[in-house]
């Protein structure tokens, strides 16, 4: 190395020999890690991975900062108020190359006691950036990735309000999503005044420190403590981690977005295949006992509804609160409410109808399961060493300590396997996971700040192991709303949580579209929702129109499942009248006609991590407009879906990327690259398929299922 000359170190993947290039070489032409360091200026360094500027460090644009702060967490019903006081933030100017070899470069930022070691390793075509222990007295880390003004970013788990996250800051903290999720709306105002539960644009059950860039790279942090992804600046993205041990960051690149997500899921995991019975119709959410369950089934089937399952969440019995009907959280069959249930489960299964239940990781203090578990010390503790009792809304529970091996085994074997799988249930809603208080004390000695985010993944894991050990994987499934890194591998299906039964963009029907897309790019590609929404408060109730708009949307997703909501008697149900059931029946038939197509998508998700619902740019990378579309999606490679999310609409405006498209409902050919207004009467959510799709003959069969309310409106805009 010549004094005063900038040099470049290239670390390449094992298949490529180690080489040294001058700065005039094209950066990124050789796969690997390129580091440029000016020996005359100890505060200047650039690092590139496959052409992505992952480190831009100088006196003016520092890569890494450390600092300290004090935080107060206040939680109520799973809603968290996080009050942080920043004490100091210090940029680490100086940088040295401490060590280098075939795969690794070790850098040190800062000097003496105020320094931080950062190790860059290339292995399996992924760059790992490992941060060392923070300097004494520091508990905050910030690092930056260079950005540009045209770049888009997506992911961060399941995001309901924004798909492209540029211009916003996203706290990564799993919690209740909130009611309304928009501080300018009446519902959010009322919820905030009631119990602080209104939420905001970033509040979500599934937050994850992962993002995908339009520059075709992903960044994933392994931290489980509080993280913020700040995309507000044009020049850089800034990631903040609250931990003295910040962990690692994984950065991967690919030539396509499908390849990018496949590489990401190769690291964090993929979902198993859905049971085949799930493709044969809709799961009906019903309650009230054995007689009611069978009555609703007959009523639906008499009107032609294809039913593949009955979801009876009140299999454990019920209680009543001011929020509405709630379940008795004692996960055992209530023989009084559901007499002869095991026999009925067997009879229904022979007829192709599964029965499903409900569970979460908490037990009501009034139940015998809580008393048994408490006797053995199986619950999360408070600071005094007593069982931590949490108010879940006018009833109180203990939370099973999933870090205690004995408690874990008891809950898995005695509760999930014995009380649910052995009963004959074919699945369940595995609810909650996001309430965990930060002052909880765990068997493994970790703090609540570290365990809070990862708790949903542990909850998914215990369900996965119970089903797998029972030999039922591929036959029994469960669906979850809360998640974090690791849930991808252990959660068989996600649902969008508790949407308001209204048309709001941030918490209504529209919100589940970007939710599915962002979660798919975060590594979980099997997503569905409560048909009709769930939350009814402040005089907001579900209408037939809303229910059926949800249902026609659901027909073009992997799973159809209805929910009565928190106040069934005040809201329109699929069984409220025969007209609704007949319209719903047609939609279930469409769902079944698509079953082989859906199976192929589910298989691709399981094998390659490519989500079933995809952003348009995943298949149309050269379409600049596609990168900003959040309310349309590709269902696999061949179907484009644009759900109607406003009331009283007979037409709908949408964009078609450059291709030859067939309107599903009348077979008319459209040229892509344009915006159109099309027919969108009830039952005909706008759907197009690619003219030369190998599935075209299947899609044509759907148009035979005529919608008597449809009329033809086609207009190029």
């Amino acid at each position: 190395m010549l004094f005063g000359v900038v040099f470049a170190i290239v670390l390449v993947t094992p298949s490529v020999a180690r080489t040294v290039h001058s700065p005039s070489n094209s950066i990124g032409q050789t796969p690997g890690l390129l580091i440029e360091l000016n020996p005359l200026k100890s505060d200047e360094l650039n690092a590139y991975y496959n052409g992505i500027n992952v480190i831009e460090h100088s006196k003016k644009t520092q890569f890494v900062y450390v600092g300290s702060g004090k935080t107060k967490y206040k939680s109520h019903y799973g809603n968290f108020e996080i009050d942080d006081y920043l004490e100091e933030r210090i940029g680490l100017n100086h940088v040295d190359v401490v060590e280098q070899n075939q795969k690794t470069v070790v850098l040190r930022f800062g000097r003496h006691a105020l320094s931080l070691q950062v190790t860059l390793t290339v292995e399996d075509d992924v760059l790992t950036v490992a941060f060392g222990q923070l300097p004494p007295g520091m508990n905050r880390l910030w690092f930056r990735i260079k950005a540009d003004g045209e770049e888009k970013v997506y992911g961060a788990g399941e995001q309901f309000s924004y798909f492209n996250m540029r211009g916003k800051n996203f706290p990564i903290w799993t919690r209740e999503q909130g009611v309304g999720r928009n501080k300018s709306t009446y519902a959010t105002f009322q919820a905030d005044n009631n119990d602080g539960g209104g939420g905001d644009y970033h509040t979500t059950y599934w937050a994850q420190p992962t993002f995908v860039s339009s520059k075709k790279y992903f960044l994933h942090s392994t931290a489980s403590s509080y993280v913020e992804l700040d995309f507000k600046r044009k020049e850089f993205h800034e990631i903040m981690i609250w931990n003295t041990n910040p962990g690692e960051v994984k950065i991967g690149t690919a030539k396509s977005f499908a390849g990018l997500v496949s590489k990401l899921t190769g690291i964090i995991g993929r979902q198993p295949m859905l049971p085949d019975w799930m493709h044969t119709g809709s799961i009906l959410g019903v309650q009230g006992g054995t007689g009611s369950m069978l009555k609703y089934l007959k009523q639906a089937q008499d009107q032609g509804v294809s039913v593949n399952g009955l979801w009876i969440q009140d299999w454990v019995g019920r209680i009543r609160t001011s929020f509405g009907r709630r379940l008795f959280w004692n996960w055992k069959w209530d023989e009084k409410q559901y007499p002869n249930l095991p026999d009925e489960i067997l009879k229904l299964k022979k007829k192709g109808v599964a029965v499903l239940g409900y569970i979460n990781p908490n037990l009501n203090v009034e139940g015998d399961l809580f008393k048994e578990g408490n006797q053995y010390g199986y619950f999360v503790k408070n600071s005094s060493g007593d069982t931590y009792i949490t108010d879940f809304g006018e009833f109180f529970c203990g939370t099973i300590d999933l870090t205690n091996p004995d408690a874990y085994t008891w809950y898995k074997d005695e509760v999930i396997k014995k009380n649910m799988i052995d009963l004959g249930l074919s699945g369940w809603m595995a609810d909650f996971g996001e309430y965990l208080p930060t002052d909880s004390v765990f068997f493994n000695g970790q703090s609540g700040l570290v365990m809070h985010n990862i708790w949903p993944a542990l909850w998914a894991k215990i369900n996965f192991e119970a089903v797998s050990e029972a030999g039922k994987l591929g036959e029994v499934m469960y669906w979850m709303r809360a998640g974090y890194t690791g849930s991808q591998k252990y959660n068989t299906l996600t649902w969008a949580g508790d949407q308001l039964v209204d048309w709001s963009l941030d918490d209504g029907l529209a919100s589940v579209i970007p939710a599915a897309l962002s979660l798919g790019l975060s590594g979980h590609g099997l997503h569905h929702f409560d048909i009709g929404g769930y939350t009814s408060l402040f005089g907001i109730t579900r209408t037939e129109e809303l229910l059926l708009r949800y249902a026609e949307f659901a027909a073009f997703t992997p799973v159809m499942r209805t929910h009565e909501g928190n106040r069934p008697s005040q809201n329109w149900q699929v069984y409220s009248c025969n007209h609704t059931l007949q319209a719903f029946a047609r939609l279930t038939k469409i769902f079944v006609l698509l079953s082989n197509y859906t199976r192929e998508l589910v298989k691709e998700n399981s094998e390659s991590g490519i989500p079933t619902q995809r952003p348009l740019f995943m298949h149309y990378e050269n379409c600049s407009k596609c990168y900003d579309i959040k309310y349309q999606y590709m269902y696999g490679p061949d179907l484009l879906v644009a759900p109607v999310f406003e009331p009283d609409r007979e037409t709908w405006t949408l964009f078609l990327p450059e291709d030859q498209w067939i309107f599903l409902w009348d077979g008319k050919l459209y040229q892509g690259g344009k915006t159109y207004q099309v027919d969108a009467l009830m039952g005909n959510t706008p759907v197009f398929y690619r003219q030369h799709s190998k599935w075209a003959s299947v899609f044509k069969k759907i148009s035979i299922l005529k919608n008597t309310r449809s009329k033809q409106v086609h207009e190029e805009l």
Side-chain angles (χ1 to χ4, degrees):
M1 181 180 70
L2 298 176
F3 185 77
V5 178
V6 178
F7 72 97
I9 306 167
V10 180
L11 290 179
V12 299
T13 53
S15 60
V16 183
R18 184 173 183 271
T19 58
V20 177
H21 294 271
S22 69
S24 62
N25 282 75
S26 298
I27 293 171
Q29 295 300 306
T30 302
L33 179 64
L34 175 65
I35 293 181
E36 297 177 344
L37 175 68
N38 188 337
L40 286 182
K41 294 184 178 181
S42 60
D43 56 7
E44 288 189 10
L45 180 144
N46 278 281
Y48 300 85
Y49 180 63
N50 289 344
I52 303 299
N53 193 175
V54 294
I55 297 178
E56 181 184 47
H57 181 81
S58 68
K59 193 172 183 179
K60 183 180 179 181
T61 59
Q62 293 146 16
F63 168 62
V64 66
Y65 298 75
V66 295
S68 63
K70 295 180 180 178
T71 309
K72 294 180 180 179
Y73 295 84
K74 181 181 178 182
S75 63
H76 187 60
Y77 297 159
N79 303 288
F80 284 81
E81 182 180 329
I82 302 174
D83 182 19
D84 184 59
Y85 176 72
L86 180 63
E87 297 174 312
E88 60 179 332
R89 170 175 159 139
I90 303 169
L92 302 182
N93 293 332
H94 183 82
V95 60
D96 288 318
V97 177
V98 177
E99 179 185 344
Q100 56 179 308
N101 57 46
Q102 186 69 21
K103 292 184 179 180
T104 302
V105 171
V106 181
L107 306 174
R108 182 175 60 240
F109 290 87
R111 295 179 185 273
H112 310 302
L114 192 62
S115 64
L116 177 69
Q117 182 169 297
V118 179
T119 303
L120 310 180
T121 304
V122 178
E123 191 169 7
D124 296 329
D125 201 25
V126 172
L127 172 66
T128 298
V129 182
F131 296 98
Q133 177 88 16
L134 296 189
M138 301 296 166
N139 60 8
R140 303 280 191 276
L141 171 78
W142 296 262
F143 69 92
R144 294 176 174 178
I145 300 292
K146 188 175 181 180
D148 62 58
E150 301 302 315
E151 185 183 3
K152 323 282 186 180
V153 289
Y154 314 91
E158 186 180 30
Q159 295 296 331
F160 295 87
S161 294
Y162 292 94
F163 182 40
N164 174 19
M165 300 183 290
R166 285 306 296 273
K168 293 287 183 179
N169 181 58
F170 289 83
I172 303 301
W173 190 256
T174 180
R175 61 181 103 182
E176 277 279 359
Q177 68 173 22
V179 178
R181 304 184 64 262
N182 185 321
K183 297 304 183 185
S184 67
T185 64
Y186 171 78
T188 304
F189 172 77
Q190 287 281 63
D192 280 339
N193 285 342
N194 185 41
D195 58 12
D200 210 336
Y201 72 89
H202 57 80
T203 51
T204 175
Y205 301 108
W206 188 319
Q208 185 176 305
T210 307
F211 69 85
V212 168
S213 166
S214 58
K215 294 161 71 173
K216 294 181 184 174
Y217 77 89
F218 68 76
L219 184 148
H220 169 70
S221 169
T222 63
S224 66
S225 52
Y226 182 89
V227 174
E228 285 189 4
L229 304 179
D230 187 347
F231 302 113
K232 292 186 293 186
R233 279 85 175 176
K234 290 183 179 180
E235 299 81 12
F236 58 83
H237 311 315
E238 185 168 87
I239 293 85
M240 177 176 67
I241 301 172
W242 291 359
N243 200 312
T244 57
N245 291 289
E248 298 178 343
V249 167
K250 305 285 187 180
I251 298 174
T253 65
K255 294 181 180 180
S256 68
F257 289 104
L260 194 63
V261 176
S262 184
K263 183 175 290 187
L264 172 63
T265 56
I267 297 171
I268 61 179
R270 297 168 183 152
Q271 302 80 65
M273 292 284 288
L274 291 173
D276 199 63
W277 61 262
M278 295 188 67
H279 302 298
T280 62
S282 175
I283 299 169
L284 295 184
V286 296
Q287 300 181 81
T290 305
S292 296
M293 172 185 77
L294 298 176
K295 179 191 73 174
Y296 289 131
L297 174 62
K298 184 178 185 304
Q299 182 184 4
Q301 290 180 331
D302 284 350
Q303 298 303 319
V305 177
S306 299
V307 180
N308 63 6
L310 294 170
W311 173 43
I312 50 169
Q313 60 173 346
D314 64 339
W315 71 287
V316 293
R318 294 185 295 192
I319 61 175
R320 183 170 292 278
T321 70
S322 61
F323 183 73
R325 295 191 312 193
R326 304 293 297 272
L327 308 179
F328 182 39
W329 292 9
N330 188 58
W331 315 121
K332 297 170 66 175
W333 164 37
D334 185 331
E335 298 184 34
K336 291 184 179 179
Q337 178 139 320
Y338 282 91
N340 304 317
L341 182 59
D343 292 338
E344 294 299 337
I345 289 175
L346 290 174
K347 292 177 184 177
L348 289 168
K349 195 169 187 178
K350 291 178 180 178
K351 298 177 181 178
V353 179
V355 177
L356 306 98
Y358 175 101
I359 190 176
N360 64 53
N362 312 290
L363 288 168
N364 192 312
V365 297
E366 301 297 327
D368 61 336
L369 287 175
F370 172 84
K371 294 177 174 61
E372 181 180 350
N374 201 40
Q375 177 183 351
Y376 296 109
Y378 285 166
F379 296 98
V380 171
K381 304 293 192 294
N382 59 27
S383 58
S384 299
D386 299 320
T387 295
Y388 202 125
I389 303 299
T390 302
D391 180 2
F392 279 88
E394 301 170 33
F395 63 96
F396 298 87
C397 297
T399 299
I400 197 73
D401 188 346
L402 298 173
T403 73
N404 181 332
D406 291 338
Y408 188 97
T409 299
W410 175 73
Y411 213 69
K412 178 177 63 176
D413 292 348
E414 297 300 317
V415 180
I416 302 178
K417 288 184 186 177
K418 183 178 178 180
N419 291 353
M420 303 183 76
I421 297 176
D422 290 352
L423 181 66
L425 296 180
S426 295
W428 50 83
M429 175 184 280
D431 204 359
F432 286 87
E434 70 281 351
Y435 269 54
L436 196 70
T438 56
D439 57 347
S440 300
V441 176
F442 303 92
F443 182 89
N444 69 355
Q446 294 287 340
S447 72
L449 299 178
V450 172
M451 295 303 302
H452 174 85
N453 274 338
I454 206 168
W455 200 250
L458 293 178
W459 176 223
K461 184 179 180 182
I462 193 173
N463 281 273
F464 182 86
E465 289 184 359
V467 174
S468 298
E469 291 171 11
K472 297 291 186 179
L473 195 63
E475 179 183 342
V476 170
M477 51 74 68
Y478 48 91
W479 61 101
M480 306 182 68
R481 67 180 186 184
Y484 197 71
T485 305
S487 295
Q488 287 85 355
K489 181 178 180 180
Y490 297 118
N491 180 22
T492 58
L493 178 67
T494 298
W495 105 96
D498 298 347
Q499 278 67 54
L500 267 177
V501 291
D502 72 353
W503 303 93
S504 61
L505 290 178
D506 295 282
D507 197 21
L509 187 158
S511 69
V512 303
I513 307 171
L517 297 179
S518 59
L519 190 59
L521 292 179
S522 300
H524 200 292
L526 295 177
H527 190 273
H528 82 300
F529 46 81
D530 298 333
I531 292 177
Y534 172 80
T535 302
S536 179
L537 289 172
F538 318 125
I540 299 171
T541 57
R542 180 199 293 161
T543 63
E544 182 188 30
E545 181 186 12
L546 180 67
L547 178 72
L548 290 177
R549 285 300 192 191
Y550 261 107
E552 66 185 30
F553 172 12
F556 298 92
T557 69
V559 175
M560 292 187 76
R561 178 184 55 81
T562 68
H563 197 320
E564 292 182 320
N566 64 308
R567 295 176 177 176
S569 63
Q570 299 175 26
N571 289 271
W572 198 271
Q573 304 296 338
V574 70
Y575 52 75
S576 289
C577 72
N578 285 343
H579 172 270
T580 305
L581 280 172
Q582 290 162 7
F584 187 70
R586 172 178 171 269
L587 298 171
T588 63
K589 289 179 171 60
I590 291 172
F591 179 81
V592 173
L593 280 173
L594 286 172
S595 60
N596 286 333
Y597 180 72
T598 298
R599 285 184 180 94
E600 186 169 284
L601 304 185
V602 171
K603 182 180 180 183
E604 186 177 20
N605 177 73
S606 181
E607 294 178 350
S608 304
I610 312 302
T612 56
Q613 292 169 263
R614 309 164 185 179
L616 272 60
F617 63 75
M618 184 168 281
H619 292 288
Y620 298 93
E621 295 183 359
N622 295 325
C623 172
S624 60
K625 189 168 184 176
C626 290
Y627 289 83
D628 290 312
I629 293 177
K630 67 176 178 178
Y631 294 129
Q632 297 177 206
Y633 65 93
M634 297 297 298
Y635 188 45
D638 293 342
L639 287 175
L640 185 149
V641 186
V644 176
F645 51 82
E646 295 175 358
D648 304 317
R649 295 299 300 264
E650 295 187 352
T651 61
W652 197 246
T653 302
L654 54 83
F655 175 77
L656 295 177
E658 193 67 48
D659 212 328
Q660 299 294 317
W661 297 97
I662 304 294
F663 191 51
L664 184 65
W665 308 114
D666 67 2
K668 182 179 177 181
L669 177 65
Y670 285 74
Q671 176 60 48
K674 301 176 182 178
T675 297
Y676 293 94
Q677 186 180 68
V678 299
D679 170 33
L681 288 179
M682 192 79 71
N684 280 16
T685 200
V687 178
F688 289 78
Y689 64 89
R690 293 192 308 108
Q691 181 184 20
H692 301 296
S693 167
K694 68 178 183 179
W695 296 93
S697 61
V698 173
F699 302 148
K700 289 176 182 177
K701 293 179 182 178
I702 294 175
S703 64
I704 299 173
L705 299 173
K706 294 295 184 182
N707 181 2
T708 57
R709 300 180 63 181
S710 180
K711 65 179 181 180
Q712 305 305 316
V713 179
H714 307 283
E715 182 179 349
E716 181 183 337
L717 300 179

